[in-house]
Amino acid sequence: MATSGARTETERGSAPARPGSPELSSGRRTALQARRPKCSSFGQKWAPSLPSRSFRGTESVKLRSASLTTIESLPWEVLLHIFTYLDVSSLFCAGCVNRTFYNVSNDKALGLTWMIVLHERMGKEHVQEQSKAFFSDTSATVYWNSAVWPPLSSLKTLCVYGVTPLFPPNKTPAEHGPRRRSLLVEYDLTTLEESSTSVGGDKLIKLRCLHPGMLLGCWQEDGELALIVTNLHYHQLIEKSTLGSVTSPYRQSPHEPVLDDVVSEYGLLGYHCHITLHNGKSSYMSGSFHNLFCRKEYIQNGFLQIVVISLEKESQHGTISGSIHIPWNTGFLRGKIQHCCLMDVTVLDEAEKPFWCVSSAVALQTVPASDIRYRYLGKRQTIDYKDHEGKVHMELMWLEEEQQYYVVNLVLYLTVEKVNAWFATSY
């Protein structure tokens, strides 16, 4: 966890060992390493191994540091030409190496932007290009602002598209050349009241959340649209934004379970979790937790319970400074909606494959503090999220005098159905 966007100790290294936690044997570790993918589709960082230039003569050592040529030292135009041979997925991986590669890959690739299309019940379409995009640890937050939106009651669907130019952006300006759309997700707006949840509001704006990751900002006065925000998790975002069609989203290959009849707790051990709380522009908390597990006796009501931050272990508690809010900007008005934020959760299995990826707006709810939290004399608030694959429960204590949140509890609940399908088990 971090204060003002910094990372916690757990992100820099492994989480503190839990008493009695199961350990993997050396043979088990070797088997896992053998079947791990060399390059995960989820933002795995890598560094190229480049041979040094050889020199002759007694002064070669002195000259080496001054004459060494690396790929980063090549002219920008040469790097751009090299990157033209990469597909979009490889381009995205290359962008994770360092700042130079990130800038080159963005210059080359991407003409990639996101747009929304609002469909009226009578068939008329309203196309809106993205206004701004911000990038956090594990997600992209995209904003759409407009002075005039169609009446919400007249709308049937809202579609989010990834948009890429058909020709390289350095040859044809993306905004004027032909472009390709890839459907990411389609939302039904005819049942907005039933299918959305309220996240929060201020005197002017109220926020409603549509799963997955869509926020509609509506005016308090008349309920009409003021702005639209979506939070897109990085996992396979490039594929989703480029490989789908106008009418159908990209479908990833089905997961094939790796059978294991050696470890009796297979599917319960070795989880990794990265969680981020942010508002698009700034991060409140960013933490990575390793070697998480669930005991068999904690499988209840169709869920595996995995304790990430224990209420009883104060050494695991962390702080968040300042208030938590989501800023909004319609282009001519702006403000902040308190006690809500965007949450990204990434759960990897023991082979470091993305098991469950979540990006959604969440609200902080105030609840009565119980006696067990006597050490923190403040207001108790919770963050709860649920979908068909799992749940997240987080508890925070707000200390007014210190102007800080203490994160005292974080629990993941993974559905037994998802675990059994992923690992071919029968819990």
Side-chain angles (χ1 to χ4, degrees), residues 159-174:
C159 296
V160 181
Y161 291 94
V163 182
T164 50
L166 289 179
F167 302 109
N170 59 338
K171 294 183 179 180
T172 304

mmCIF file of all heavy atoms in Angstrom, residues 159-174:
data_model
loop_
_atom_site.group_PDB
_atom_site.id
_atom_site.type_symbol
_atom_site.label_atom_id
_atom_site.label_comp_id
_atom_site.label_asym_id
_atom_site.label_seq_id
_atom_site.Cartn_x
_atom_site.Cartn_y
_atom_site.Cartn_z
ATOM 1 N N CYS A 159 -21.876 1.830 -26.747
ATOM 2 C CA CYS A 159 -20.793 0.946 -27.183
ATOM 3 C C CYS A 159 -19.454 1.647 -27.019
ATOM 4 O O CYS A 159 -19.324 2.839 -27.322
ATOM 5 C CB CYS A 159 -20.976 0.540 -28.643
ATOM 6 S SG CYS A 159 -22.460 -0.450 -28.966
ATOM 7 N N VAL A 160 -18.461 0.895 -26.537
ATOM 8 C CA VAL A 160 -17.094 1.395 -26.412
ATOM 9 C C VAL A 160 -16.241 0.683 -27.449
ATOM 10 O O VAL A 160 -16.244 -0.553 -27.522
ATOM 11 C CB VAL A 160 -16.533 1.158 -24.999
ATOM 12 C CG1 VAL A 160 -15.123 1.724 -24.898
ATOM 13 C CG2 VAL A 160 -17.439 1.769 -23.952
ATOM 14 N N TYR A 161 -15.499 1.464 -28.253
ATOM 15 C CA TYR A 161 -14.671 0.912 -29.317
ATOM 16 C C TYR A 161 -13.218 1.316 -29.130
ATOM 17 O O TYR A 161 -12.924 2.441 -28.702
ATOM 18 C CB TYR A 161 -15.126 1.428 -30.692
ATOM 19 C CG TYR A 161 -16.458 0.915 -31.168
ATOM 20 C CD1 TYR A 161 -17.623 1.636 -30.935
ATOM 21 C CD2 TYR A 161 -16.554 -0.288 -31.863
ATOM 22 C CE1 TYR A 161 -18.852 1.184 -31.378
ATOM 23 C CE2 TYR A 161 -17.786 -0.756 -32.316
ATOM 24 C CZ TYR A 161 -18.922 -0.018 -32.066
ATOM 25 O OH TYR A 161 -20.141 -0.477 -32.503
ATOM 26 N N GLY A 162 -12.313 0.403 -29.465
ATOM 27 C CA GLY A 162 -10.928 0.764 -29.692
ATOM 28 C C GLY A 162 -10.800 1.170 -31.145
ATOM 29 O O GLY A 162 -11.374 0.526 -32.041
ATOM 30 N N VAL A 163 -10.056 2.233 -31.413
ATOM 31 C CA VAL A 163 -9.956 2.769 -32.767
ATOM 32 C C VAL A 163 -8.488 2.854 -33.159
ATOM 33 O O VAL A 163 -7.675 3.433 -32.427
ATOM 34 C CB VAL A 163 -10.606 4.167 -32.869
ATOM 35 C CG1 VAL A 163 -10.528 4.688 -34.298
ATOM 36 C CG2 VAL A 163 -12.057 4.113 -32.402
ATOM 37 N N THR A 164 -8.139 2.261 -34.301
ATOM 38 C CA THR A 164 -6.769 2.308 -34.806
ATOM 39 C C THR A 164 -6.783 2.713 -36.271
ATOM 40 O O THR A 164 -7.700 2.356 -37.016
ATOM 41 C CB THR A 164 -6.070 0.941 -34.679
ATOM 42 O OG1 THR A 164 -6.916 -0.075 -35.230
ATOM 43 C CG2 THR A 164 -5.781 0.615 -33.232
ATOM 44 N N PRO A 165 -5.770 3.477 -36.723
ATOM 45 C CA PRO A 165 -5.697 3.856 -38.139
ATOM 46 C C PRO A 165 -5.332 2.662 -39.003
ATOM 47 O O PRO A 165 -4.580 1.779 -38.582
ATOM 48 C CB PRO A 165 -4.596 4.920 -38.160
ATOM 49 C CG PRO A 165 -3.746 4.600 -36.973
ATOM 50 C CD PRO A 165 -4.680 4.050 -35.928
ATOM 51 N N LEU A 166 -5.874 2.615 -40.202
ATOM 52 C CA LEU A 166 -5.544 1.529 -41.122
ATOM 53 C C LEU A 166 -4.128 1.669 -41.670
ATOM 54 O O LEU A 166 -3.503 0.685 -42.046
ATOM 55 C CB LEU A 166 -6.541 1.499 -42.278
ATOM 56 C CG LEU A 166 -7.962 1.033 -41.938
ATOM 57 C CD1 LEU A 166 -8.853 1.075 -43.166
ATOM 58 C CD2 LEU A 166 -7.945 -0.373 -41.362
ATOM 59 N N PHE A 167 -3.642 2.907 -41.721
ATOM 60 C CA PHE A 167 -2.295 3.161 -42.215
ATOM 61 C C PHE A 167 -1.467 3.758 -41.091
ATOM 62 O O PHE A 167 -2.006 4.347 -40.158
ATOM 63 C CB PHE A 167 -2.332 4.112 -43.417
ATOM 64 C CG PHE A 167 -3.176 3.601 -44.545
ATOM 65 C CD1 PHE A 167 -4.390 4.201 -44.836
ATOM 66 C CD2 PHE A 167 -2.776 2.509 -45.300
ATOM 67 C CE1 PHE A 167 -5.184 3.733 -45.871
ATOM 68 C CE2 PHE A 167 -3.565 2.029 -46.329
ATOM 69 C CZ PHE A 167 -4.769 2.637 -46.621
ATOM 70 N N PRO A 168 -0.132 3.616 -41.138
ATOM 71 C CA PRO A 168 0.718 4.158 -40.068
ATOM 72 C C PRO A 168 0.435 5.638 -39.832
ATOM 73 O O PRO A 168 0.307 6.408 -40.783
ATOM 74 C CB PRO A 168 2.138 3.938 -40.600
ATOM 75 C CG PRO A 168 2.009 2.792 -41.549
ATOM 76 C CD PRO A 168 0.649 2.919 -42.176
ATOM 77 N N PRO A 169 0.326 6.048 -38.563
ATOM 78 C CA PRO A 169 0.009 7.436 -38.250
ATOM 79 C C PRO A 169 1.011 8.444 -38.801
ATOM 80 O O PRO A 169 0.666 9.584 -39.057
ATOM 81 C CB PRO A 169 0.023 7.462 -36.717
ATOM 82 C CG PRO A 169 -0.186 6.043 -36.311
ATOM 83 C CD PRO A 169 0.457 5.217 -37.370
ATOM 84 N N ASN A 170 2.283 8.022 -38.996
ATOM 85 C CA ASN A 170 3.274 8.965 -39.502
ATOM 86 C C ASN A 170 3.130 9.200 -40.998
ATOM 87 O O ASN A 170 3.778 10.076 -41.555
ATOM 88 C CB ASN A 170 4.692 8.473 -39.182
ATOM 89 C CG ASN A 170 4.973 7.100 -39.785
ATOM 90 O OD1 ASN A 170 4.063 6.338 -40.076
ATOM 91 N ND2 ASN A 170 6.256 6.800 -39.962
ATOM 92 N N LYS A 171 2.264 8.410 -41.662
ATOM 93 C CA LYS A 171 2.044 8.597 -43.094
ATOM 94 C C LYS A 171 0.707 9.284 -43.375
ATOM 95 O O LYS A 171 0.586 10.088 -44.282
ATOM 96 C CB LYS A 171 2.092 7.240 -43.827
ATOM 97 C CG LYS A 171 3.456 6.584 -43.786
ATOM 98 C CD LYS A 171 3.460 5.281 -44.582
ATOM 99 C CE LYS A 171 4.846 4.624 -44.555
ATOM 100 N NZ LYS A 171 4.869 3.363 -45.319
ATOM 101 N N THR A 172 -0.307 8.916 -42.599
ATOM 102 C CA THR A 172 -1.630 9.511 -42.772
ATOM 103 C C THR A 172 -2.136 9.977 -41.430
ATOM 104 O O THR A 172 -2.200 9.181 -40.492
ATOM 105 C CB THR A 172 -2.626 8.486 -43.365
ATOM 106 O OG1 THR A 172 -2.099 7.988 -44.589
ATOM 107 C CG2 THR A 172 -3.976 9.142 -43.616
ATOM 108 N N PRO A 173 -2.491 11.252 -41.266
ATOM 109 C CA PRO A 173 -3.027 11.712 -39.983
ATOM 110 C C PRO A 173 -4.215 10.871 -39.552
ATOM 111 O O PRO A 173 -5.139 10.652 -40.319
ATOM 112 C CB PRO A 173 -3.430 13.162 -40.268
ATOM 113 C CG PRO A 173 -2.587 13.568 -41.440
ATOM 114 C CD PRO A 173 -2.404 12.321 -42.258
ATOM 115 N N ALA A 174 -4.163 10.367 -38.312
ATOM 116 C CA ALA A 174 -5.189 9.427 -37.841
ATOM 117 C C ALA A 174 -6.574 10.033 -37.880
ATOM 118 O O ALA A 174 -7.557 9.352 -38.171
ATOM 119 C CB ALA A 174 -4.849 8.967 -36.428
#
